[in-house]
Amino acid sequence: MTTAEDLIAAADAHCAPTYDPLPVVVATGEGAWLTDVAGRRYLDLLAGYSALNFGHRNPRLIEAAKAQLDRVTLTSRAVLHDRFAAFCAELAELCGMEMVLPANSGAEAVESAIKTARKWGYRVKGVPAEMAKIVVAGGNFHGRTTTVISFSTDPEARADFGPYTPGFQIVPYGDLTAMRAALTENTVAVLLEPIQGESGVIVPPEGYLPGVRRLTRERNVLFVADEIQSGLGRTGRTFACEHEGVVPDMYVLGKALGGGIVPVSAVVSSAEVLGVFRPGEHGSTFGGNPLACAVALEVIAMLRTGEFQARAAELGERMHRALAALPATGTVTAVRGRGLWAGLDVAPGLGTGRQVAERLRERGVLAKESHGATIRLSPPLVVSEQDLAWGLEQLRAVLGV
Ligand SMILES: *Cc1c(COP(=O)(O)O)cnc(C)c1O
């Protein structure tokens, strides 16, 4: 029999060491739970960084995928297929937009959004050739491609990957004065996460997103919201921007759009913006494939009912009520988040975020550290109230309160 130790050693030997996974080797998953190769169960409070909002092997999504597997799975965009128009139309409608540019990974969608904004800048706004600028925020996370890491402020994500792509300006997240000062005639877009996930679930000060919306509208700059992690139900609304009544010019979506089954991402915007492309100017072999569209259509149908958003809001309130008690115990210095999404900073005396994640794992709970002292919680939106309460009990036990 192959043990978990053998499988971990083999992965260490043959897989490029870009991750440092917890020592868990998963064999199966269902709902909010994973089972490892030895039969031990874990409550998954990470949910693939929001890629698994609907849980592991959600029955509706599995059924949609299986039905599509029996029909056709991949066509390329050389021809149309019978799920494509519905995918584009229904995703645009969910977003209150008009057009969709389909892609696969989140980073690819961000790249596509950057290309869209630049093309719009040159063809519609009239920015002189090669002068387009995009303003981004410090602490951002938008993916791992060479262009995207060019405007990261995380030394680990950037070091030794240069030369970097020019055309980006970084301003502090949450600072409207800096944002106002950064916008020029050549600015084509502001690209922001409405809540910064990877940075530790950083919620910007109230009024920041509406302020960015106002400034970008005044200056004829596209407001691009990267809702890859914050969107599709996570915060208790379909989009995190909604909490402040903000409608951006462009949504960038991914993660949960693929239902935890296949990678599906998209740029969603108006016809004025996405209509700038001509055939041949952008593309993707797998983007908008039939299997991806079938799964995403089911995801969209599930989100249309509002039940997952309501669940995230309700369970999120319970979770945040429980977490709010922690700072008074001295074990946690800060708790942030919205909906079923939280970042907590562990007090220095209690060890690193990684050590807390290890201790949670020993108690059968999976969560992930981000940047040193922060623990990120993003349970599947289908987690039961009891399971969530149990998971939070394990967290309290690990913190010793
Ligand atoms: C995960 C994430 C990405 C990158 O998505 P990949 O599918 O890993 O390329 C981009 N932006 C945000 C906000 C993310 O959370």
Side-chain angles (χ1 to χ4, degrees), residues 31-364:
W33 290 87
L34 289 168
T35 303
D36 75 6
V37 288
R40 174 148 194 220
R41 296 178 80 225
Y42 295 91
L43 179 65
D44 183 2
L45 295 189
L46 177 64
Y49 309 93
S50 283
L52 286 148
N53 281 1
F54 308 100
H56 295 278
R57 291 191 308 112
N58 184 288
R60 278 185 69 171
L61 297 170
I62 292 292
E63 194 181 322
K66 282 184 173 168
Q68 192 59 42
L69 284 173
D70 285 334
R71 297 177 70 244
V72 65
T73 54
L74 185 65
T75 54
S76 85
R77 296 283 304 279
V79 292
L80 289 165
H81 62 79
D82 63 6
R83 314 307 302 269
F84 187 69
F87 165 71
C88 295
E90 291 182 27
L91 183 57
E93 194 199 1
L94 183 79
C95 298
M97 299 276 175
E98 294 164 328
M99 274 191 184
V100 168
L101 177 59
N104 305 282
S105 71
E108 185 190 1
V110 173
E111 290 270 353
S112 304
I114 290 166
K115 288 175 74 177
T116 305
R118 285 180 171 180
K119 189 95 42 198
W120 174 86
Y122 297 126
R123 291 194 177 164
V124 178
K125 183 169 176 175
V127 171
E130 300 294 308
M131 297 295 281
K133 273 264 189 307
I134 294 177
V135 178
V136 299
N140 71 73
F141 181 82
H142 297 287
R144 299 293 198 170
T145 59
T146 39
T147 286
V148 169
I149 58 100
S150 292
F151 55 85
S152 170
T153 54
D154 175 3
E156 250 179 11
R158 275 174 63 90
D160 300 331
F161 293 128
Y164 303 109
T165 307
F168 299 93
Q169 186 176 348
I170 303 167
V171 297
Y173 190 58
D175 183 342
L176 271 180
T177 309
M179 179 63 73
R180 182 181 294 112
L183 303 182
T184 72
E185 281 132 64
N186 293 337
T187 309
V188 296
V190 170
L191 167 63
L192 290 178
E193 299 154 87
I195 293 176
Q196 290 188 331
E198 186 73 18
S199 242
V201 194
I202 312 289
V203 182
E206 205 183 318
Y208 179 62
L209 298 174
V212 172
R213 176 66 286 186
R214 215 166 30 246
L215 286 173
T216 48
R217 190 167 281 137
E218 277 166 21
R219 307 295 288 272
N220 194 24
V221 168
L222 300 177
F223 184 176
V224 181
D226 179 347
E227 293 249 19
I228 289 172
Q229 192 168 159
S230 59
L232 309 186
R234 172 56 54 195
T235 65
R237 302 283 181 88
T238 306
F239 302 108
C241 282
E242 284 176 57
H243 290 278
E244 295 214 55
V246 164
V247 179
D249 297 296
M250 208 188 290
Y251 287 111
V252 189
L253 302 176
K255 290 202 166 97
L257 189 57
I261 299 177
V262 280
V264 185
S265 67
V267 176
V268 190
S269 187
S270 65
E272 181 202 309
V273 172
L274 279 172
V276 294
F277 286 109
R278 303 281 167 273
E281 291 178 348
H282 189 63
S284 162
T285 304
F286 289 92
N289 71 73
L291 183 59
C293 288
V295 171
L297 274 167
E298 199 64 25
V299 166
I300 294 162
M302 287 161 70
L303 285 169
R304 245 188 331 240
T305 69
E307 65 193 279
F308 292 94
Q309 295 89 325
R311 219 183 141 69
E314 195 186 308
L315 288 178
E317 206 183 297
R318 283 170 200 277
M319 181 174 81
H320 279 288
R321 217 180 297 140
L323 295 177
L326 292 177
T329 67
T331 57
V332 161
T333 55
V335 179
R336 298 171 297 272
R338 193 159 254 167
L340 205 45
W341 201 17
L344 27 132
D345 298 339
V346 176
L350 279 152
T352 62
R354 173 67 184 204
Q355 287 166 327
V356 171
E358 296 265 9
R359 280 181 238 141
L360 280 169
R361 182 201 67 86
E362 285 161 20
R363 289 178 162 270

